[in-house]
């Protein structure tokens, strides 16, 4: 026997004897043991996006507590393992690995920014675990290891853009923060505008955190668009709205249309600066439905009467119930991330926004787009409820690409 | 023509905000040679001061300016007495100490006022627009411009036409000789630092209605302020004005032609090139050595 063969043989034997559990199914290693199901909760509680992500953490914990109080899932309790990734993508990856490998969570609920989702993706794909992402995002992602419960561009824009064109006119000014999300949303917006024969008078991006909009407002005044389509995020959105108002522009004639201005942003900029501008999203706090009344009521009584719910905290809440419905289908010994993924496909439930459905093809969610106008009291007025729910198309701006259960298909 | 005028006005407005932010630093860095990394946090505290006066006591922006100036000035005085005065002529230690101070102030605000974005209501008399040479300019921006001009005049008068200013300039030139002439150098320095900090506080309160208020807001302002002061020439007050207005016009113009991302990059590039060939800045105040 050659020395090399011997070494290979010895290594292989060693592997078999040292780590037998990777070769056979051992019930003592089942993910749901002792009547407990461990899940990870990975939202930043500190750092730049800490404030908004804290509300997602709260909505998640609220749903988990409700389910446990009502008897858990088939008698098993959900045990949340809460980590604080501190608004830092690298820390997100470290904490995700800890939750998946160390704590053996069967699923992790987390992330607000796309950067943090992209950072944890390799962890979940390598370990074939499951990440539940509640935020609206730019689409163009097709992972078998992420359940997306927020809106993708077509779900926010398909109804919104034609409505804006009809109501205000065909000249659009696209302004966004300089990163991937606004660019992808604008790609899809331009596609829709072209189909409608509308015109883009300018498209521009400002640095993240930018707060001096006088040049932008000059350009808006000289191009005189009918609609300012804004995907500006963070503190920039506050500066933009306040300077728009200081410049004496009129939302009745030239409104800003946004996909990201929620009750949170309105509170930050003040109702007066937000009033008269439009947002399209699947959920607003004022939405009238018994489910939403219950959600808002429960949220306020659990976390404080001055708290608001918004279009990212609502999916954070209902996705826990989707998780529950999926796990309910499984025997305790079968609970692991892959079986949960198969079980969640096609699940439906009545969320605060309306009845949602998890699309088996691309693991995104069928949602109910709404168009609302901000009012000076800090809330929205829903002007238009979609008549039907909308299918998620994460590659809507790229007609030759499709996300299927087998992955991304080029045609 | 109208468009051109509008662009000039925009540049003036951006420049006046830059000058407002940089004026306090020009005093502290320019006169005293202290690199104060917590300058941005003084600006932030001013903004929070205006917010708190409004949220808790219902006081409007204009009256709260006085409180903010005195409050942040007093804090500046404490900082000088408690930290800075032990570190004169130790530039690196000053940078570290003031930077640490800045971090502490940020976290103190985050823990006490919360990390949410805040806003400050604009005084209602200033919400409209004003027609200047046929161009509509936001009234509040005109107000900032006038206010900054006045603030600059006061500062200039203080530095060059009062006994205090003479003493300060004497101490700056040669501390020991000035002391021999009976000038209390410690007192002059601490009051100067307090004045500079008070100006930074005013700046924060004044920009708050146009921008957002958050614990981290100071970080971007301190960078802008250093650009302005370094470009203008460290010891020249007029240099600070000239460089603020120049940077304002340049940023506004480039942002109009392309966009703000490119404007920011090109302005930075221009500053680097200028500093390369004129390390002392645009203007140098003549001091006999």
């Amino acid at each position: 026997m050659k020395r090399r063969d011997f070494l290979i043989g010895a290594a292989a034997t060693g592997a078999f004897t040292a780590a037998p559990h990777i070769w056979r199914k051992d019930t003592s290693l089942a993910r749901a043991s002792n009547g407990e199901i461990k899940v990870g909760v990975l939202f930043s509680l500190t750092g730049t996006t800490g404030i908004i992500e804290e509300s997602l953490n709260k909505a998640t914990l609220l749903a988990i507590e409700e389910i446990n109080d009502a008897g858990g899932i088939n008698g098993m309790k959900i045990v949340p393992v809460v980590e604080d990734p501190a608004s830092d993508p690298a820390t997100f990856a470290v904490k995700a690995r800890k939750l998946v490998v160390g704590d053996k969570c069967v699923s992790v609920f987390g992330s607000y920014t796309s950067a943090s989702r992209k950072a944890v993706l390799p962890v979940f794909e390598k370990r074939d675990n499951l990440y539940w992402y509640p935020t609206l995002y730019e689409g163009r992602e097709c992972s078998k290891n992420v359940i997306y419960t927020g809106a993708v561009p077509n779900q926010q824009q398909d109804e919104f853009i034609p409505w804006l064109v009809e109501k205000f006119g065909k000249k659009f000014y696209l302004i966004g923060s300089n990163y991937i999300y606004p660019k992808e949303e604008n790609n899809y917006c331009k596609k829709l505008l072209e189909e409608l024969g509308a015109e883009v008078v300018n498209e521009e991006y400002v640095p993240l955190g930018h707060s001096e909009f006088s040049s932008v407002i000059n350009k808006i005044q000289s191009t005189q668009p009918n609609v300012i389509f804004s995907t500006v995020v963070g503190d920039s959105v506050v500066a933009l709205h306040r300077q728009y108002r200081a410049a004496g522009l009129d939302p009745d004639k030239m409104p800003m249309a946004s996909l990201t201005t929620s009750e949170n942003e309105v509170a930050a900029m003040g109702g007066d600066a937000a009033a008269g501008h439009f947002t399209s999203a699947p959920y607003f706090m004022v939405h009238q439905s018994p489910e939403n009344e219950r959600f808002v009521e429960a949220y306020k009584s659990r976390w404080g009467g001055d708290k608001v719910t918004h279009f990212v905290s609502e999916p954070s809440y209902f996705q826990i119930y989707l998780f529950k419905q999926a796990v309910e289908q499984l025997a305790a010994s079968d609970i692991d991330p892959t079986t949960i993924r198969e079980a969640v496909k096609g699940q439906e439930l009545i969320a605060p926004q309306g009845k949602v459905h998890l699309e088996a093809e691309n693991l995104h969610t069928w949602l109910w787009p709404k168009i609302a106008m901000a009012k000076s009291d800090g809330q929205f007025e829903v002007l238009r409820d979609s008549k039907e729910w909308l299918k998620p198309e994460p590659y809507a701006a790229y007609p030759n690409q499709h996300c299927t259960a087998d992955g991304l298909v080029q045609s | 023509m109208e468009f051109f005028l509008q662009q000039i006005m925009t540049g003036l407005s951006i420049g006046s905000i830059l000058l407002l932010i940089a004026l306090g630093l020009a005093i502290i860095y320019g006169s005293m040679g202290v690199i104060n990394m917590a300058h941005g946090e003084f600006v932030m505290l001013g903004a929070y001061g205006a917010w708190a006066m409004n949220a808790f006591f219902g006081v409007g922006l204009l009256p709260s300016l006085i409180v903010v100036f005195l409050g942040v000035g007093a804090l500046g005085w404490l900082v000088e007495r408690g930290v800075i005065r032990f570190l004169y002529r130790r530039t690196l230690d000053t940078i570290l100490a003031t930077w640490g101070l800045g971090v502490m102030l940020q976290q103190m605000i985050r823990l006490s006022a919360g990390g949410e974005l805040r806003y400050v209501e604009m005084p209602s008399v200033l919400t409209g627009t004003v027609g200047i040479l046929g161009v509509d300019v936001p009234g509040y921006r005109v107000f900032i411009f006038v206010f900054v001009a006045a603030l600059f005049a006061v500062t200039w008068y203080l530095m060059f036409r009062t006994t205090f200013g003479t003493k300060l300039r004497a101490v700056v030139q040669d501390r020991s000789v000035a002391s021999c002439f009976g000038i209390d150098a410690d007192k002059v320095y601490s009051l100067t630092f307090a004045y500079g900090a008070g100006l930074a506080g005013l700046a924060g309160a004044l920009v708050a209605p146009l921008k957002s208020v958050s614990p981290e807001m100071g970080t971007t302002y301190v960078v802008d302020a250093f650009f302005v002061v370094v470009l203008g020439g460290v010891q020249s007050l007029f240099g600070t004005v000239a460089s603020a207005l120049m940077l304002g016009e340049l940023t506004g113009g480039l942002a109009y032609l392309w966009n703000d991302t490119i404007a920011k990059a090109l302005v930075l590039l221009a500053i680097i090139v200028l500093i390369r060939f004129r390390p002392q800045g645009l203007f140098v105040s003549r001091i006999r050595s």
Side-chain angles (χ1 to χ4, degrees):
Chain A
M1 188 186 250
K2 274 191 247 157
R3 185 162 170 266
R4 178 178 293 174
D5 291 343
F6 171 76
L7 284 177
I8 291 172
T13 327
F16 266 101
T17 46
H21 62 272
I22 57 172
W23 306 111
R24 61 191 165 82
K25 196 164 181 174
D26 184 344
T27 45
S28 70
L29 287 165
R31 306 289 193 123
S33 52
N34 312 326
E36 286 184 350
I37 303 170
K38 261 200 208 170
V39 299
V41 179
L42 192 59
F43 296 107
S44 306
L45 304 173
T46 54
T48 44
T49 52
I51 294 292
I52 186 100
E53 293 195 41
E54 197 184 336
S55 67
L56 312 184
N57 170 285
K58 287 182 164 148
T60 305
L61 293 182
L62 173 67
I64 292 177
E65 287 168 9
E66 284 178 357
I67 291 170
N68 284 343
D69 288 346
I73 306 175
N74 293 338
M76 292 175 287
K77 291 259 182 276
I78 308 179
V79 178
V81 183
V82 179
E83 288 291 343
D84 173 17
S87 309
D88 171 44
T91 315
F92 262 93
V94 172
K95 300 284 185 188
R97 203 168 296 119
K98 184 234 167 208
L99 290 170
V100 169
V101 182
D103 295 319
K104 300 207 164 43
C105 294
V106 289
S107 280
V108 177
F109 306 93
S111 276
Y112 176 65
T113 63
S114 284
S116 65
R117 186 191 69 253
K118 293 278 187 205
V120 301
L121 210 54
V123 177
F124 289 90
E125 293 190 334
K126 191 169 166 213
R127 307 275 168 179
D128 213 4
N129 209 300
L130 214 49
Y131 197 54
W132 299 63
Y133 180 61
T135 316
L136 59 105
Y137 84 114
E138 67 278 0
R140 220 178 167 189
E141 194 171 280
C142 186
S143 172
K144 275 191 278 188
N145 299 90
V146 183
I147 308 286
Y148 307 84
T149 52
V152 285
N154 77 305
Q155 291 172 310
Q156 286 188 286
Q157 295 195 31
D158 276 358
E159 305 234 327
F160 196 28
I161 302 297
W163 183 85
L164 289 166
V165 168
E166 187 190 326
K167 208 159 178 276
F168 294 100
K170 293 191 163 182
K171 281 167 77 178
F172 275 59
Y173 192 107
L174 310 187
I175 168 98
S177 293
N178 202 353
Y179 73 110
I180 181 81
Y181 170 78
K183 291 188 176 178
E184 289 292 336
E185 289 287 358
N186 283 346
N187 272 347
Y188 189 61
C189 178
K190 283 185 284 186
K191 181 169 178 263
L192 289 178
L193 288 175
E194 198 182 312
E195 285 162 11
L196 292 162
E199 171 196 4
V200 177
V201 294
N202 196 13
E203 175 185 0
E204 76 168 306
Y205 300 92
V206 296
L208 279 166
H210 189 68
S211 67
E212 181 55 72
F213 283 95
S214 41
S215 296
V216 169
I217 286 171
N218 268 352
K219 277 188 258 189
I220 288 172
Q221 281 170 331
S222 66
T223 49
Q224 287 292 322
N226 302 117
V227 177
I228 302 160
F229 186 72
S230 159
T231 37
V232 172
V233 301
D235 43 0
S236 301
V237 74
V238 176
L240 175 60
H241 272 83
R242 296 196 65 81
Q243 291 171 33
Y244 172 103
R245 185 151 177 269
L249 297 176
D250 183 3
D252 288 342
K253 297 196 187 80
M254 197 193 285
M256 283 197 259
S258 165
L259 307 175
T260 49
T261 308
S262 74
E263 288 82 355
N264 262 311
E265 280 78 10
V266 173
M269 71 180 74
D272 290 337
H277 298 290
F278 300 95
T279 298
S280 165
Y283 174 83
F284 291 95
M285 190 173 172
V286 293
H287 177 63
Q288 305 264 327
S289 76
E291 289 77 16
N292 186 39
E293 269 162 40
R294 220 164 31 235
F295 170 51
V296 172
E297 181 59 41
Y299 192 87
K300 284 184 164 182
S301 68
R302 176 67 180 86
W303 303 111
D306 58 336
K307 295 281 185 281
V308 294
T309 58
H310 52 89
F311 52 62
V312 192
S313 69
E314 186 247 8
S316 305
Y317 175 80
F318 79 67
Q319 68 179 10
I320 305 293
Y321 280 90
L322 272 177
F323 170 81
K324 169 182 177 261
Q325 286 192 11
V327 176
E328 264 171 353
Q329 319 287 316
L330 304 168
S333 56
D334 281 344
I335 298 175
D336 74 33
T338 43
T339 53
I340 296 173
R341 176 180 62 219
E342 294 314 309
V344 80
K345 287 179 178 175
Q347 287 294 342
E348 289 183 353
L349 60 80
I350 301 183
Q353 63 171 279
K355 189 178 181 184
V356 297
H357 169 99
L358 200 101
E359 173 58 43
E361 278 278 289
N362 54 30
L363 301 179
H364 286 63
T365 314
W366 292 63
L367 302 166
W368 295 85
K370 298 170 179 63
I371 298 170
M373 183 173 81
K375 295 189 303 178
S376 51
D377 67 356
Q379 282 292 347
F380 282 88
E381 182 188 349
V382 179
L383 302 177
R384 202 179 134 126
D385 261 306
S386 174
K387 281 177 199 64
E388 51 195 21
W389 55 6
L390 222 63
K391 189 182 177 190
E393 306 268 13
Y395 286 81
Y398 304 88
N400 55 350
Q401 294 180 321
H402 296 280
C403 182
T404 68
D406 303 319
L408 188 63
V409 174
Q410 304 268 357
S411 64
Chain B
M1 190 60 205
E2 191 192 313
F3 138 79
F4 187 69
L5 263 176
Q6 176 122 40
Q7 219 22 64
I8 297 283
M9 301 276 183
T10 303
L12 283 180
S13 171
I14 300 178
S16 63
I17 292 177
L18 281 176
L19 178 58
L20 181 64
I21 306 286
L23 200 54
L25 195 79
I27 305 284
I28 292 176
Y29 179 41
S31 305
M32 303 171 60
V34 172
I35 299 182
N36 178 23
M37 299 297 281
H39 184 74
E41 276 61 47
F42 289 155
V43 173
M44 180 268 291
L45 284 178
Y48 269 94
W51 167 76
M53 289 296 284
N54 191 277
F56 299 125
F57 307 107
V59 180
L61 178 67
L62 298 180
S64 56
L65 287 179
I66 303 164
V67 182
V68 164
F69 178 72
L70 294 177
V72 181
L75 183 87
W77 187 80
L78 281 177
V79 167
E80 203 276 342
R81 290 285 81 190
V83 183
I84 310 282
R85 74 173 163 136
F86 302 110
L87 301 172
Y88 285 121
R89 291 178 222 291
R90 289 165 61 187
T91 318
L92 279 177
D93 300 338
T94 322
I95 295 180
L96 205 62
T98 50
W99 186 72
L101 185 78
V103 173
M104 273 161 27
L105 289 174
Q106 261 186 40
Q107 297 309 320
M108 262 157 61
I109 288 294
R110 182 175 275 281
L111 289 175
S112 56
E116 293 100 328
L117 298 177
R118 310 281 185 186
Y119 66 94
V120 172
E121 206 54 73
M122 212 171 268
S124 53
V125 281
L126 299 171
T127 43
T129 56
V130 184
I132 298 174
L133 302 170
V135 178
D136 280 343
V137 185
Y140 191 74
R141 287 186 182 270
V142 177
F143 167 71
I144 288 191
F145 187 82
V146 174
F147 196 96
V148 173
L151 219 50
F152 176 74
V154 169
T155 306
W156 182 83
Y157 186 82
L158 200 65
M159 295 286 279
F160 294 100
R161 289 289 179 272
T162 61
T163 336
F164 179 79
T166 318
K167 283 180 184 170
L168 171 64
R169 283 179 292 138
V171 174
V172 166
Q173 276 196 26
D174 195 318
R175 189 177 173 135
S176 50
V177 173
S179 299
C180 289
F181 279 88
I183 296 172
D184 186 348
D186 280 357
K187 195 177 151 195
V188 169
Y189 266 1
S190 53
L191 283 179
T192 309
F193 196 88
Y195 181 68
L199 287 181
L202 273 186
L206 282 168
V207 297
L210 284 178
K211 309 198 170 181
S212 68
V213 179
S214 69
E216 292 87 22
M217 66 186 281
T219 345
T220 47
Y221 290 129
V222 74
V223 177
D224 287 345
F226 270 106
F227 285 159
V228 171
V229 174
V230 170
L231 182 68
V234 168
Q235 291 194 322
S236 163
L237 267 188
F238 279 103
T240 307
V241 178
S243 85
L245 294 184
M246 217 179 78
L247 289 181
E249 291 293 351
L250 198 61
T251 316
L254 292 172
Y256 190 89
L257 287 178
W258 290 289
N259 61 50
D260 284 285
T261 313
I262 292 178
K264 204 165 196 163
L266 287 181
V267 166
L268 260 176
L269 191 71
I271 293 177
I272 293 171
V273 171
L274 245 159
I275 294 294
R276 163 67 185 79
F277 290 104
R278 226 186 133 71
Q280 69 276 41
L282 292 176
F283 296 82
V284 189
S285 57
R286 276 185 298 275
I287 299 171
R288 271 170 294 170
S289 53

